Amino acid sequence: MVMPAPVVAGPGGTTPGSVGDVRRSNLALVLGAIAEFPFGVHPSRAQLAAVTGLTKASVSSLVLDLLDAGIVREIGLNPQGRGRPGVGLELNPGRAVMGMEINVDYISAAVVDLSGAVLVREVQERDNRNSMDGPVMAALAVLAARVRSAAGEQGVEVLGGGLAVPGLVDPAAARVVTAPNLGWANVELDLGAVLPEAPLGVALFNEANAAALAELRHRPEGASDFLFVSGEVGVGGGLVIGSELFTGPGGHAGEVGHIVVEPDGGRCSCGGTGCLETVAGQDAIFDAAGIGSGSSRSASMSALLQALDAGRPGALAAVERAARCLGIALASTARVVNIYSVVLGGHFAVLEPWLRGPLLDSLEKYAPGKYGSGQVSVSAVGESGALLGAAGSVIRSLVEAPHRLQA
């Protein structure tokens, strides 16, 4: 573990910033150190001093602030060899954040504790196509209240949340720039109404980017460069380079679903023609397979899987076409960003047994020698990716700025 250097006073007692800045920085340093210890290991104040480079007196004072804010708690005694055992510290399991997602055909919410464990999760199927934002946000607020109440019954307080949506967002303005499959453009969301009185508020995220961040945390060691492809009604992408999410100057990089794969193809919800989404999106595959998307998301997917298991030509052809076009999009993306590792999420992960062969064939045709079989993998976090990513980002921002919870 590589910890940043502590901020200390300079010669003559001067500091690079105000005294308050120094303390806030060192508060984050100590909390970050506690968070980095493996699950079940409870560091003492002395161990934190050794890890951070701060004095024991400074660590003790900072820990008191974290205890007062309710972010950490003391737990048992931690033997340290000779001398009196120290009191162990851990992230407070009674504090959590909420990850939430609005997608085209469902809304969902999950309470995630500060260590990243999901405590309560609920998914509600709901047709949000071309819906006004008000009713959708109202339905999400009801769902969030129910999940928050269930967590409260376990003695868990929700400090704040993150909301993921399938579109381009301006987080600073709490605005959805465009979400074509929802029919939203330049919509400002009342995020505070979803989690009223949560001290950290609610942050807004792009769904695919949030899922990519969750994937990064759960990928094998060293998997620091990859393109995460999210398959829903739309197709999204999250680009991770050097273990960091790359969003580009405007924050909207990675929109792999709107790469043109069939120039003379169908009209896309974005206004373009022949985008990957028109061939490989969830509804596009259902329609091509003769399944339709009328009853419910889960029922349609179940029907598609049954058709694939039965070897029905229409279903197999629909998935093969989606795989071929996905390969074109991935080959094009890889040529630009020089990354040849892809993680399949959403329905791409569900359909992987039938999708993988034609996808690898397509990649070899359009990017020969670039993608190996081992460089195409299935999501490690499954359907909860966007929820976990949104929640995880809020937890990370708390660790980096714990003073936000101080009275």
Side-chain angles (χ1 to χ4, degrees), residues 85-112:
V87 176
L89 297 161
E90 69 172 359
L91 297 175
N92 189 347
R95 300 291 183 272
V97 301
M98 186 179 295
M100 295 167 283
E101 183 182 2
I102 293 172
N103 221 302
V104 179
D105 49 4
Y106 65 90
I107 56 177
S108 59
V111 173
V112 180

Side-chain angles (χ1 to χ4, degrees), residues 229 235 255-268 270 272-281 284 318 320-333 348 359 362-363 365-366:
V229 184
V235 176
E255 286 295 297
V256 66
H258 298 290
I259 292 176
V260 176
V261 295
E262 291 188 333
D264 298 320
R267 192 77 167 167
C268 181
C270 74
T273 299
C275 297
L276 174 63
E277 188 172 290
T278 65
V279 180
E320 183 175 348
R321 180 186 178 213
R324 176 180 61 83
C325 290
L326 178 59
I328 294 172
L330 294 178
S332 300
T333 302
F348 295 131
L359 173 58
S362 181
L363 289 171
K365 178 178 181 180
Y366 297 106

